[in-house]
PDB file of all heavy atoms in Angstrom:
ATOM      1  N   ARG A 401       4.879  -2.945  -8.423  1.00 92.00           N
ATOM      2  CA  ARG A 401       3.911  -1.935  -8.301  1.00 92.00           C
ATOM      3  C   ARG A 401       2.465  -2.537  -8.011  1.00 92.00           C
ATOM      4  O   ARG A 401       1.734  -2.238  -7.173  1.00 92.00           O
ATOM      5  CB  ARG A 401       3.808  -0.936  -9.432  1.00 92.00           C
ATOM      6  CG  ARG A 401       4.926  -0.089  -9.609  1.00 92.00           C
ATOM      7  CD  ARG A 401       4.916   0.583 -10.950  1.00 92.00           C
ATOM      8  NE  ARG A 401       6.129   1.384 -11.173  1.00 92.00           N
ATOM      9  CZ  ARG A 401       6.042   2.769 -11.336  1.00 92.00           C
ATOM     10  NH1 ARG A 401       4.913   3.404 -11.349  1.00 92.00           N
ATOM     11  NH2 ARG A 401       7.137   3.408 -11.454  1.00 92.00           N
ATOM     12  N   GLU A 402       2.221  -3.587  -8.943  1.00 93.00           N
ATOM     13  CA  GLU A 402       0.908  -4.183  -8.874  1.00 93.00           C
ATOM     14  C   GLU A 402       0.764  -4.983  -7.603  1.00 93.00           C
ATOM     15  O   GLU A 402      -0.227  -4.935  -6.955  1.00 93.00           O
ATOM     16  CB  GLU A 402       0.740  -5.125 -10.100  1.00 93.00           C
ATOM     17  CG  GLU A 402       0.593  -4.340 -11.351  1.00 93.00           C
ATOM     18  CD  GLU A 402       0.744  -5.296 -12.635  1.00 93.00           C
ATOM     19  OE1 GLU A 402       0.719  -6.484 -12.434  1.00 93.00           O
ATOM     20  OE2 GLU A 402       0.827  -4.676 -13.721  1.00 93.00           O
ATOM     21  N   ARG A 403       1.813  -5.711  -7.203  1.00 94.00           N
ATOM     22  CA  ARG A 403       1.799  -6.467  -5.949  1.00 94.00           C
ATOM     23  C   ARG A 403       1.665  -5.647  -4.723  1.00 94.00           C
ATOM     24  O   ARG A 403       0.810  -5.956  -3.846  1.00 94.00           O
ATOM     25  CB  ARG A 403       3.092  -7.355  -5.887  1.00 94.00           C
ATOM     26  CG  ARG A 403       3.145  -8.107  -4.687  1.00 94.00           C
ATOM     27  CD  ARG A 403       4.407  -9.038  -4.689  1.00 94.00           C
ATOM     28  NE  ARG A 403       4.623  -9.620  -3.431  1.00 94.00           N
ATOM     29  CZ  ARG A 403       5.808  -9.774  -2.764  1.00 94.00           C
ATOM     30  NH1 ARG A 403       6.844  -9.368  -3.390  1.00 94.00           N
ATOM     31  NH2 ARG A 403       5.837 -10.398  -1.610  1.00 94.00           N
ATOM     32  N   ALA A 404       2.375  -4.521  -4.722  1.00 94.00           N
ATOM     33  CA  ALA A 404       2.249  -3.607  -3.594  1.00 94.00           C
ATOM     34  C   ALA A 404       0.911  -3.026  -3.444  1.00 94.00           C
ATOM     35  O   ALA A 404       0.375  -2.964  -2.358  1.00 94.00           O
ATOM     36  CB  ALA A 404       3.354  -2.575  -3.660  1.00 94.00           C
ATOM     37  N   THR A 405       0.344  -2.571  -4.520  1.00 94.00           N
ATOM     38  CA  THR A 405      -1.027  -1.977  -4.462  1.00 94.00           C
ATOM     39  C   THR A 405      -2.052  -3.005  -4.022  1.00 94.00           C
ATOM     40  O   THR A 405      -2.928  -2.727  -3.240  1.00 94.00           O
ATOM     41  CB  THR A 405      -1.431  -1.271  -5.768  1.00 94.00           C
ATOM     42  OG1 THR A 405      -1.263  -2.185  -6.801  1.00 94.00           O
ATOM     43  CG2 THR A 405      -0.645  -0.057  -6.052  1.00 94.00           C
ATOM     44  N   ARG A 406      -1.930  -4.198  -4.501  1.00 94.00           N
ATOM     45  CA  ARG A 406      -2.861  -5.300  -4.150  1.00 94.00           C
ATOM     46  C   ARG A 406      -2.761  -5.578  -2.657  1.00 94.00           C
ATOM     47  O   ARG A 406      -3.706  -5.751  -1.990  1.00 94.00           O
ATOM     48  CB  ARG A 406      -2.507  -6.563  -5.038  1.00 94.00           C
ATOM     49  CG  ARG A 406      -3.636  -7.599  -4.956  1.00 94.00           C
ATOM     50  CD  ARG A 406      -3.353  -8.656  -6.012  1.00 94.00           C
ATOM     51  NE  ARG A 406      -1.977  -9.183  -6.022  1.00 94.00           N
ATOM     52  CZ  ARG A 406      -1.152  -9.003  -6.993  1.00 94.00           C
ATOM     53  NH1 ARG A 406      -1.549  -8.451  -8.099  1.00 94.00           N
ATOM     54  NH2 ARG A 406       0.097  -9.631  -6.963  1.00 94.00           N
ATOM     55  N   MET A 407      -1.488  -5.570  -2.199  1.00 94.00           N
ATOM     56  CA  MET A 407      -1.291  -5.890  -0.815  1.00 94.00           C
ATOM     57  C   MET A 407      -1.878  -4.728   0.088  1.00 94.00           C
ATOM     58  O   MET A 407      -2.469  -5.054   1.204  1.00 94.00           O
ATOM     59  CB  MET A 407       0.298  -5.984  -0.487  1.00 94.00           C
ATOM     60  CG  MET A 407       0.844  -7.316  -0.911  1.00 94.00           C
ATOM     61  SD  MET A 407       2.647  -7.374  -0.676  1.00 94.00           S
ATOM     62  CE  MET A 407       2.720  -7.347   1.119  1.00 94.00           C
ATOM     63  N   VAL A 408      -1.791  -3.491  -0.273  1.00 94.00           N
ATOM     64  CA  VAL A 408      -2.352  -2.424   0.454  1.00 94.00           C
ATOM     65  C   VAL A 408      -3.839  -2.574   0.545  1.00 94.00           C
ATOM     66  O   VAL A 408      -4.436  -2.489   1.628  1.00 94.00           O
ATOM     67  CB  VAL A 408      -2.003  -1.015  -0.155  1.00 94.00           C
ATOM     68  CG1 VAL A 408      -2.891   0.081   0.515  1.00 94.00           C
ATOM     69  CG2 VAL A 408      -0.610  -0.765  -0.011  1.00 94.00           C
ATOM     70  N   PHE A 409      -4.506  -2.943  -0.559  1.00 93.00           N
ATOM     71  CA  PHE A 409      -5.972  -3.160  -0.588  1.00 93.00           C
ATOM     72  C   PHE A 409      -6.395  -4.333   0.285  1.00 93.00           C
ATOM     73  O   PHE A 409      -7.364  -4.326   1.019  1.00 93.00           O
ATOM     74  CB  PHE A 409      -6.571  -3.387  -2.018  1.00 93.00           C
ATOM     75  CG  PHE A 409      -6.544  -2.040  -2.736  1.00 93.00           C
ATOM     76  CD1 PHE A 409      -5.856  -2.040  -4.058  1.00 93.00           C
ATOM     77  CD2 PHE A 409      -7.016  -0.927  -2.325  1.00 93.00           C
ATOM     78  CE1 PHE A 409      -5.880  -0.900  -4.787  1.00 93.00           C
ATOM     79  CE2 PHE A 409      -6.925   0.261  -3.058  1.00 93.00           C
ATOM     80  CZ  PHE A 409      -6.378   0.216  -4.311  1.00 93.00           C
ATOM     81  N   GLU A 410      -5.502  -5.373   0.354  1.00 93.00           N
ATOM     82  CA  GLU A 410      -5.776  -6.559   1.198  1.00 93.00           C
ATOM     83  C   GLU A 410      -5.660  -6.204   2.631  1.00 93.00           C
ATOM     84  O   GLU A 410      -6.468  -6.665   3.506  1.00 93.00           O
ATOM     85  CB  GLU A 410      -4.809  -7.729   0.766  1.00 93.00           C
ATOM     86  CG  GLU A 410      -5.100  -8.339  -0.579  1.00 93.00           C
ATOM     87  CD  GLU A 410      -4.073  -9.308  -0.972  1.00 93.00           C
ATOM     88  OE1 GLU A 410      -3.075  -9.533  -0.203  1.00 93.00           O
ATOM     89  OE2 GLU A 410      -4.160  -9.870  -2.115  1.00 93.00           O
ATOM     90  N   VAL A 411      -4.638  -5.458   2.978  1.00 92.00           N
ATOM     91  CA  VAL A 411      -4.425  -5.019   4.396  1.00 92.00           C
ATOM     92  C   VAL A 411      -5.598  -4.152   4.865  1.00 92.00           C
ATOM     93  O   VAL A 411      -6.105  -4.291   5.971  1.00 92.00           O
ATOM     94  CB  VAL A 411      -3.102  -4.320   4.560  1.00 92.00           C
ATOM     95  CG1 VAL A 411      -2.963  -3.580   5.896  1.00 92.00           C
ATOM     96  CG2 VAL A 411      -1.974  -5.218   4.392  1.00 92.00           C
ATOM     97  N   ARG A 412      -6.031  -3.215   3.966  1.00 90.00           N
ATOM     98  CA  ARG A 412      -7.176  -2.435   4.316  1.00 90.00           C
ATOM     99  C   ARG A 412      -8.448  -3.198   4.540  1.00 90.00           C
ATOM    100  O   ARG A 412      -9.234  -2.935   5.390  1.00 90.00           O
ATOM    101  CB  ARG A 412      -7.400  -1.345   3.164  1.00 90.00           C
ATOM    102  CG  ARG A 412      -6.433  -0.271   3.153  1.00 90.00           C
ATOM    103  CD  ARG A 412      -6.775   0.745   2.035  1.00 90.00           C
ATOM    104  NE  ARG A 412      -5.775   1.795   2.026  1.00 90.00           N
ATOM    105  CZ  ARG A 412      -5.771   2.790   1.122  1.00 90.00           C
ATOM    106  NH1 ARG A 412      -6.713   2.737   0.139  1.00 90.00           N
ATOM    107  NH2 ARG A 412      -4.945   3.720   1.155  1.00 90.00           N
ATOM    108  N   GLU A 413      -8.592  -4.227   3.699  1.00 89.00           N
ATOM    109  CA  GLU A 413      -9.757  -5.075   3.850  1.00 89.00           C
ATOM    110  C   GLU A 413      -9.713  -5.933   5.124  1.00 89.00           C
ATOM    111  O   GLU A 413     -10.692  -6.064   5.814  1.00 89.00           O
ATOM    112  CB  GLU A 413      -9.853  -6.057   2.649  1.00 89.00           C
ATOM    113  CG  GLU A 413     -11.102  -6.838   2.487  1.00 89.00           C
ATOM    114  CD  GLU A 413     -11.117  -7.708   1.242  1.00 89.00           C
ATOM    115  OE1 GLU A 413     -11.093  -7.096   0.142  1.00 89.00           O
ATOM    116  OE2 GLU A 413     -11.146  -8.870   1.418  1.00 89.00           O
ATOM    117  N   GLN A 414      -8.528  -6.398   5.476  1.00 89.00           N
ATOM    118  CA  GLN A 414      -8.426  -7.270   6.636  1.00 89.00           C
ATOM    119  C   GLN A 414      -8.548  -6.443   7.991  1.00 89.00           C
ATOM    120  O   GLN A 414      -9.160  -6.864   8.892  1.00 89.00           O
ATOM    121  CB  GLN A 414      -6.978  -7.879   6.676  1.00 89.00           C
ATOM    122  CG  GLN A 414      -6.848  -8.962   5.708  1.00 89.00           C
ATOM    123  CD  GLN A 414      -5.410  -9.453   5.504  1.00 89.00           C
ATOM    124  OE1 GLN A 414      -4.470  -8.973   6.268  1.00 89.00           O
ATOM    125  NE2 GLN A 414      -5.098 -10.462   4.722  1.00 89.00           N
ATOM    126  N   THR A 415      -7.943  -5.219   8.020  1.00 85.00           N
ATOM    127  CA  THR A 415      -8.042  -4.393   9.218  1.00 85.00           C
ATOM    128  C   THR A 415      -9.276  -3.569   9.305  1.00 85.00           C
ATOM    129  O   THR A 415      -9.612  -3.124  10.312  1.00 85.00           O
ATOM    130  CB  THR A 415      -6.793  -3.506   9.294  1.00 85.00           C
ATOM    131  OG1 THR A 415      -6.765  -2.562   8.186  1.00 85.00           O
ATOM    132  CG2 THR A 415      -5.499  -4.282   9.423  1.00 85.00           C
ATOM    133  N   GLY A 416      -9.836  -3.246   8.172  1.00 81.00           N
ATOM    134  CA  GLY A 416     -11.097  -2.432   8.144  1.00 81.00           C
ATOM    135  C   GLY A 416     -10.725  -0.925   8.216  1.00 81.00           C
ATOM    136  O   GLY A 416     -11.672  -0.148   8.454  1.00 81.00           O
ATOM    137  N   THR A 417      -9.481  -0.625   8.125  1.00 81.00           N
ATOM    138  CA  THR A 417      -9.105   0.811   8.210  1.00 81.00           C
ATOM    139  C   THR A 417      -8.057   1.149   7.200  1.00 81.00           C
ATOM    140  O   THR A 417      -7.341   0.240   6.790  1.00 81.00           O
ATOM    141  CB  THR A 417      -8.559   1.135   9.692  1.00 81.00           C
ATOM    142  OG1 THR A 417      -8.260   2.551   9.689  1.00 81.00           O
ATOM    143  CG2 THR A 417      -7.350   0.260  10.016  1.00 81.00           C
ATOM    144  N   ARG A 418      -7.961   2.435   6.833  1.00 80.00           N
ATOM    145  CA  ARG A 418      -7.034   2.854   5.871  1.00 80.00           C
ATOM    146  C   ARG A 418      -5.733   3.278   6.414  1.00 80.00           C
ATOM    147  O   ARG A 418      -4.728   3.232   5.754  1.00 80.00           O
ATOM    148  CB  ARG A 418      -7.677   4.037   5.066  1.00 80.00           C
ATOM    149  CG  ARG A 418      -8.901   3.635   4.260  1.00 80.00           C
ATOM    150  CD  ARG A 418      -9.456   4.894   3.540  1.00 80.00           C
ATOM    151  NE  ARG A 418      -8.532   5.672   2.822  1.00 80.00           N
ATOM    152  CZ  ARG A 418      -8.517   5.534   1.449  1.00 80.00           C
ATOM    153  NH1 ARG A 418      -9.314   4.804   0.841  1.00 80.00           N
ATOM    154  NH2 ARG A 418      -7.609   6.322   0.749  1.00 80.00           N
ATOM    155  N   THR A 419      -5.721   3.661   7.684  1.00 81.00           N
ATOM    156  CA  THR A 419      -4.475   4.204   8.317  1.00 81.00           C
ATOM    157  C   THR A 419      -3.513   3.133   8.530  1.00 81.00           C
ATOM    158  O   THR A 419      -3.728   2.013   9.022  1.00 81.00           O
ATOM    159  CB  THR A 419      -4.834   4.856   9.620  1.00 81.00           C
ATOM    160  OG1 THR A 419      -5.504   3.879  10.510  1.00 81.00           O
ATOM    161  CG2 THR A 419      -5.844   6.015   9.460  1.00 81.00           C
ATOM    162  N   GLY A 420      -2.226   3.449   8.191  1.00 87.00           N
ATOM    163  CA  GLY A 420      -1.112   2.557   8.401  1.00 87.00           C
ATOM    164  C   GLY A 420      -0.906   1.510   7.402  1.00 87.00           C
ATOM    165  O   GLY A 420       0.182   0.805   7.401  1.00 87.00           O
ATOM    166  N   SER A 421      -1.849   1.237   6.469  1.00 90.00           N
ATOM    167  CA  SER A 421      -1.686   0.186   5.569  1.00 90.00           C
ATOM    168  C   SER A 421      -0.558   0.429   4.552  1.00 90.00           C
ATOM    169  O   SER A 421       0.208  -0.444   4.245  1.00 90.00           O
ATOM    170  CB  SER A 421      -2.977  -0.079   4.774  1.00 90.00           C
ATOM    171  OG  SER A 421      -3.438   1.095   4.073  1.00 90.00           O
ATOM    172  N   ILE A 422      -0.469   1.648   4.069  1.00 91.00           N
ATOM    173  CA  ILE A 422       0.641   1.965   3.079  1.00 91.00           C
ATOM    174  C   ILE A 422       2.000   1.938   3.810  1.00 91.00           C
ATOM    175  O   ILE A 422       2.929   1.334   3.236  1.00 91.00           O
ATOM    176  CB  ILE A 422       0.385   3.372   2.505  1.00 91.00           C
ATOM    177  CG1 ILE A 422      -0.812   3.350   1.596  1.00 91.00           C
ATOM    178  CG2 ILE A 422       1.634   3.863   1.738  1.00 91.00           C
ATOM    179  CD1 ILE A 422      -1.255   4.652   0.957  1.00 91.00           C
ATOM    180  N   SER A 423       2.083   2.456   4.976  1.00 91.00           N
ATOM    181  CA  SER A 423       3.332   2.362   5.748  1.00 91.00           C
ATOM    182  C   SER A 423       3.733   0.941   5.994  1.00 91.00           C
ATOM    183  O   SER A 423       5.035   0.486   5.763  1.00 91.00           O
ATOM    184  CB  SER A 423       3.268   3.069   7.077  1.00 91.00           C
ATOM    185  OG  SER A 423       3.012   4.400   6.837  1.00 91.00           O
ATOM    186  N   LYS A 424       2.840   0.105   6.353  1.00 91.00           N
ATOM    187  CA  LYS A 424       3.130  -1.288   6.619  1.00 91.00           C
ATOM    188  C   LYS A 424       3.653  -2.026   5.421  1.00 91.00           C
ATOM    189  O   LYS A 424       4.699  -2.734   5.445  1.00 91.00           O
ATOM    190  CB  LYS A 424       1.863  -1.982   7.197  1.00 91.00           C
ATOM    191  CG  LYS A 424       2.119  -3.414   7.615  1.00 91.00           C
ATOM    192  CD  LYS A 424       0.852  -4.106   8.021  1.00 91.00           C
ATOM    193  CE  LYS A 424       0.300  -3.521   9.329  1.00 91.00           C
ATOM    194  NZ  LYS A 424      -0.831  -4.292   9.830  1.00 91.00           N
ATOM    195  N   VAL A 425       2.946  -1.883   4.338  1.00 92.00           N
ATOM    196  CA  VAL A 425       3.333  -2.591   3.110  1.00 92.00           C
ATOM    197  C   VAL A 425       4.630  -1.986   2.463  1.00 92.00           C
ATOM    198  O   VAL A 425       5.471  -2.788   2.037  1.00 92.00           O
ATOM    199  CB  VAL A 425       2.171  -2.545   1.995  1.00 92.00           C
ATOM    200  CG1 VAL A 425       2.673  -3.092   0.687  1.00 92.00           C
ATOM    201  CG2 VAL A 425       0.983  -3.307   2.531  1.00 92.00           C
ATOM    202  N   ALA A 426       4.809  -0.713   2.625  1.00 92.00           N
ATOM    203  CA  ALA A 426       6.050  -0.096   2.074  1.00 92.00           C
ATOM    204  C   ALA A 426       7.253  -0.596   2.814  1.00 92.00           C
ATOM    205  O   ALA A 426       8.250  -0.879   2.245  1.00 92.00           O
ATOM    206  CB  ALA A 426       5.949   1.438   2.191  1.00 92.00           C
ATOM    207  N   ASP A 427       7.121  -0.744   4.152  1.00 92.00           N
ATOM    208  CA  ASP A 427       8.242  -1.262   4.964  1.00 92.00           C
ATOM    209  C   ASP A 427       8.475  -2.716   4.656  1.00 92.00           C
ATOM    210  O   ASP A 427       9.668  -3.142   4.593  1.00 92.00           O
ATOM    211  CB  ASP A 427       7.909  -1.070   6.436  1.00 92.00           C
ATOM    212  CG  ASP A 427       7.913   0.444   6.861  1.00 92.00           C
ATOM    213  OD1 ASP A 427       8.477   1.269   6.084  1.00 92.00           O
ATOM    214  OD2 ASP A 427       7.369   0.728   7.967  1.00 92.00           O
ATOM    215  N   GLN A 428       7.469  -3.460   4.447  1.00 92.00           N
ATOM    216  CA  GLN A 428       7.675  -4.897   4.134  1.00 92.00           C
ATOM    217  C   GLN A 428       8.412  -5.074   2.791  1.00 92.00           C
ATOM    218  O   GLN A 428       9.281  -5.971   2.653  1.00 92.00           O
ATOM    219  CB  GLN A 428       6.319  -5.639   4.102  1.00 92.00           C
ATOM    220  CG  GLN A 428       5.662  -5.883   5.364  1.00 92.00           C
ATOM    221  CD  GLN A 428       4.293  -6.539   5.203  1.00 92.00           C
ATOM    222  OE1 GLN A 428       3.718  -6.642   4.014  1.00 92.00           O
ATOM    223  NE2 GLN A 428       3.636  -6.955   6.299  1.00 92.00           N
ATOM    224  N   LEU A 429       8.034  -4.335   1.771  1.00 92.00           N
ATOM    225  CA  LEU A 429       8.580  -4.460   0.478  1.00 92.00           C
ATOM    226  C   LEU A 429       9.801  -3.638   0.181  1.00 92.00           C
ATOM    227  O   LEU A 429      10.418  -3.727  -0.918  1.00 92.00           O
ATOM    228  CB  LEU A 429       7.480  -4.196  -0.580  1.00 92.00           C
ATOM    229  CG  LEU A 429       6.318  -5.154  -0.568  1.00 92.00           C
ATOM    230  CD1 LEU A 429       5.294  -4.731  -1.605  1.00 92.00           C
ATOM    231  CD2 LEU A 429       6.695  -6.631  -0.830  1.00 92.00           C
ATOM    232  N   GLY A 430      10.116  -2.711   1.070  1.00 92.00           N
ATOM    233  CA  GLY A 430      11.270  -1.861   0.785  1.00 92.00           C
ATOM    234  C   GLY A 430      11.001  -0.783  -0.229  1.00 92.00           C
ATOM    235  O   GLY A 430      11.901  -0.394  -1.014  1.00 92.00           O
ATOM    236  N   VAL A 431       9.787  -0.313  -0.292  1.00 92.00           N
ATOM    237  CA  VAL A 431       9.355   0.718  -1.268  1.00 92.00           C
ATOM    238  C   VAL A 431       9.139   2.063  -0.511  1.00 92.00           C
ATOM    239  O   VAL A 431       8.699   2.055   0.630  1.00 92.00           O
ATOM    240  CB  VAL A 431       8.014   0.294  -1.921  1.00 92.00           C
ATOM    241  CG1 VAL A 431       7.521   1.321  -2.917  1.00 92.00           C
ATOM    242  CG2 VAL A 431       8.188  -1.139  -2.631  1.00 92.00           C
ATOM    243  N   HIS A 432       9.483   3.060  -1.287  1.00 92.00           N
ATOM    244  CA  HIS A 432       9.273   4.395  -0.634  1.00 92.00           C
ATOM    245  C   HIS A 432       7.770   4.590  -0.421  1.00 92.00           C
ATOM    246  O   HIS A 432       6.898   4.355  -1.321  1.00 92.00           O
ATOM    247  CB  HIS A 432       9.821   5.498  -1.525  1.00 92.00           C
ATOM    248  CG  HIS A 432       9.984   6.831  -0.863  1.00 92.00           C
ATOM    249  ND1 HIS A 432       8.959   7.752  -0.746  1.00 92.00           N
ATOM    250  CD2 HIS A 432      11.038   7.325  -0.119  1.00 92.00           C
ATOM    251  CE1 HIS A 432       9.362   8.798  -0.127  1.00 92.00           C
ATOM    252  NE2 HIS A 432      10.619   8.572   0.297  1.00 92.00           N
ATOM    253  N   ARG A 433       7.405   5.181   0.768  1.00 93.00           N
ATOM    254  CA  ARG A 433       5.945   5.313   1.115  1.00 93.00           C
ATOM    255  C   ARG A 433       5.194   6.211   0.125  1.00 93.00           C
ATOM    256  O   ARG A 433       4.105   5.996  -0.278  1.00 93.00           O
ATOM    257  CB  ARG A 433       5.814   5.872   2.544  1.00 93.00           C
ATOM    258  CG  ARG A 433       6.288   4.896   3.586  1.00 93.00           C
ATOM    259  CD  ARG A 433       6.090   5.508   4.941  1.00 93.00           C
ATOM    260  NE  ARG A 433       6.582   4.514   5.909  1.00 93.00           N
ATOM    261  CZ  ARG A 433       7.024   4.793   7.128  1.00 93.00           C
ATOM    262  NH1 ARG A 433       7.128   6.030   7.488  1.00 93.00           N
ATOM    263  NH2 ARG A 433       7.451   3.804   7.901  1.00 93.00           N
ATOM    264  N   GLU A 434       5.863   7.298  -0.261  1.00 93.00           N
ATOM    265  CA  GLU A 434       5.184   8.282  -1.150  1.00 93.00           C
ATOM    266  C   GLU A 434       4.964   7.606  -2.545  1.00 93.00           C
ATOM    267  O   GLU A 434       3.931   7.895  -3.198  1.00 93.00           O
ATOM    268  CB  GLU A 434       5.892   9.577  -1.320  1.00 93.00           C
ATOM    269  CG  GLU A 434       5.710  10.490  -0.085  1.00 93.00           C
ATOM    270  CD  GLU A 434       4.263  10.759   0.239  1.00 93.00           C
ATOM    271  OE1 GLU A 434       3.492  11.175  -0.663  1.00 93.00           O
ATOM    272  OE2 GLU A 434       3.951  10.628   1.409  1.00 93.00           O
ATOM    273  N   ALA A 435       5.873   6.812  -2.988  1.00 93.00           N
ATOM    274  CA  ALA A 435       5.755   6.124  -4.272  1.00 93.00           C
ATOM    275  C   ALA A 435       4.539   5.215  -4.154  1.00 93.00           C
ATOM    276  O   ALA A 435       3.673   5.197  -5.079  1.00 93.00           O
ATOM    277  CB  ALA A 435       6.947   5.324  -4.687  1.00 93.00           C
ATOM    278  N   LEU A 436       4.479   4.417  -3.086  1.00 93.00           N
ATOM    279  CA  LEU A 436       3.408   3.485  -2.907  1.00 93.00           C
ATOM    280  C   LEU A 436       2.049   4.288  -2.787  1.00 93.00           C
ATOM    281  O   LEU A 436       0.968   3.864  -3.368  1.00 93.00           O
ATOM    282  CB  LEU A 436       3.557   2.601  -1.730  1.00 93.00           C
ATOM    283  CG  LEU A 436       2.455   1.494  -1.376  1.00 93.00           C
ATOM    284  CD1 LEU A 436       2.287   0.709  -2.641  1.00 93.00           C
ATOM    285  CD2 LEU A 436       2.910   0.685  -0.204  1.00 93.00           C
ATOM    286  N   ARG A 437       2.084   5.362  -2.055  1.00 93.00           N
ATOM    287  CA  ARG A 437       0.815   6.189  -1.915  1.00 93.00           C
ATOM    288  C   ARG A 437       0.307   6.612  -3.291  1.00 93.00           C
ATOM    289  O   ARG A 437      -0.906   6.621  -3.601  1.00 93.00           O
ATOM    290  CB  ARG A 437       1.055   7.370  -1.006  1.00 93.00           C
ATOM    291  CG  ARG A 437      -0.195   8.217  -0.721  1.00 93.00           C
ATOM    292  CD  ARG A 437       0.074   9.201   0.385  1.00 93.00           C
ATOM    293  NE  ARG A 437       0.069   8.559   1.674  1.00 93.00           N
ATOM    294  CZ  ARG A 437       1.156   8.486   2.463  1.00 93.00           C
ATOM    295  NH1 ARG A 437       2.339   8.998   2.041  1.00 93.00           N
ATOM    296  NH2 ARG A 437       1.113   7.884   3.568  1.00 93.00           N
ATOM    297  N   THR A 438       1.237   7.023  -4.165  1.00 94.00           N
ATOM    298  CA  THR A 438       0.844   7.452  -5.511  1.00 94.00           C
ATOM    299  C   THR A 438       0.277   6.355  -6.353  1.00 94.00           C
ATOM    300  O   THR A 438      -0.679   6.525  -7.039  1.00 94.00           O
ATOM    301  CB  THR A 438       2.115   8.043  -6.260  1.00 94.00           C
ATOM    302  OG1 THR A 438       2.608   9.073  -5.472  1.00 94.00           O
ATOM    303  CG2 THR A 438       1.763   8.553  -7.620  1.00 94.00           C
ATOM    304  N   TRP A 439       0.925   5.136  -6.213  1.00 94.00           N
ATOM    305  CA  TRP A 439       0.398   3.967  -6.941  1.00 94.00           C
ATOM    306  C   TRP A 439      -0.984   3.673  -6.455  1.00 94.00           C
ATOM    307  O   TRP A 439      -1.882   3.299  -7.312  1.00 94.00           O
ATOM    308  CB  TRP A 439       1.349   2.832  -6.762  1.00 94.00           C
ATOM    309  CG  TRP A 439       2.676   3.009  -7.135  1.00 94.00           C
ATOM    310  CD1 TRP A 439       3.215   3.972  -7.965  1.00 94.00           C
ATOM    311  CD2 TRP A 439       3.862   2.250  -6.776  1.00 94.00           C
ATOM    312  NE1 TRP A 439       4.563   3.825  -8.145  1.00 94.00           N
ATOM    313  CE2 TRP A 439       4.988   2.788  -7.371  1.00 94.00           C
ATOM    314  CE3 TRP A 439       3.967   1.054  -5.911  1.00 94.00           C
ATOM    315  CZ2 TRP A 439       6.295   2.323  -7.161  1.00 94.00           C
ATOM    316  CZ3 TRP A 439       5.250   0.572  -5.729  1.00 94.00           C
ATOM    317  CH2 TRP A 439       6.369   1.152  -6.344  1.00 94.00           C
ATOM    318  N   VAL A 440      -1.274   3.662  -5.197  1.00 94.00           N
ATOM    319  CA  VAL A 440      -2.519   3.360  -4.596  1.00 94.00           C
ATOM    320  C   VAL A 440      -3.572   4.361  -5.108  1.00 94.00           C
ATOM    321  O   VAL A 440      -4.652   3.990  -5.482  1.00 94.00           O
ATOM    322  CB  VAL A 440      -2.462   3.257  -3.079  1.00 94.00           C
ATOM    323  CG1 VAL A 440      -3.836   3.081  -2.497  1.00 94.00           C
ATOM    324  CG2 VAL A 440      -1.636   1.990  -2.648  1.00 94.00           C
ATOM    325  N   ARG A 441      -3.260   5.594  -5.043  1.00 94.00           N
ATOM    326  CA  ARG A 441      -4.183   6.689  -5.481  1.00 94.00           C
ATOM    327  C   ARG A 441      -4.600   6.405  -6.979  1.00 94.00           C
ATOM    328  O   ARG A 441      -5.737   6.485  -7.311  1.00 94.00           O
ATOM    329  CB  ARG A 441      -3.613   8.027  -5.320  1.00 94.00           C
ATOM    330  CG  ARG A 441      -3.663   8.539  -3.926  1.00 94.00           C
ATOM    331  CD  ARG A 441      -3.206  10.023  -3.929  1.00 94.00           C
ATOM    332  NE  ARG A 441      -3.164  10.487  -2.562  1.00 94.00           N
ATOM    333  CZ  ARG A 441      -2.237  11.237  -2.106  1.00 94.00           C
ATOM    334  NH1 ARG A 441      -1.279  11.742  -2.925  1.00 94.00           N
ATOM    335  NH2 ARG A 441      -2.196  11.624  -0.792  1.00 94.00           N
ATOM    336  N   GLN A 442      -3.529   6.131  -7.785  1.00 93.00           N
ATOM    337  CA  GLN A 442      -3.839   5.895  -9.213  1.00 93.00           C
ATOM    338  C   GLN A 442      -4.681   4.603  -9.383  1.00 93.00           C
ATOM    339  O   GLN A 442      -5.596   4.633 -10.253  1.00 93.00           O
ATOM    340  CB  GLN A 442      -2.537   5.773  -9.992  1.00 93.00           C
ATOM    341  CG  GLN A 442      -2.803   5.814 -11.497  1.00 93.00           C
ATOM    342  CD  GLN A 442      -3.449   7.077 -11.962  1.00 93.00           C
ATOM    343  OE1 GLN A 442      -3.114   8.127 -11.641  1.00 93.00           O
ATOM    344  NE2 GLN A 442      -4.562   6.840 -12.771  1.00 93.00           N
TER     345      GLN A 442
END
């Protein structure tokens, strides 16, 4: 959970946009997108 949320924030920082970052990281780590979205929101 911690690694995935950290990766989402890193992708957002690198790309400068919020769109697609959760989907990209979720696919890379094999995590359900909605679960990751909930972790990022929290």
Side-chain angles (χ1 to χ4, degrees):
R401 291 170 184 242
E402 293 169 9
R403 179 175 170 220
T405 53
R406 193 171 48 247
M407 285 176 68
V408 168
F409 291 129
E410 289 171 1
V411 168
R412 285 181 180 176
E413 190 176 298
Q414 290 171 356
T415 61
T417 180
R418 293 175 57 102
T419 57
S421 58
I422 291 177
S423 297
K424 184 185 289 186
V425 173
D427 291 341
Q428 285 177 349
L429 297 177
V431 176
H432 195 274
R433 290 180 182 156
E434 284 304 312
L436 182 54
R437 183 172 285 114
T438 302
W439 304 339
V440 169
R441 282 187 186 143
Q442 190 59 50

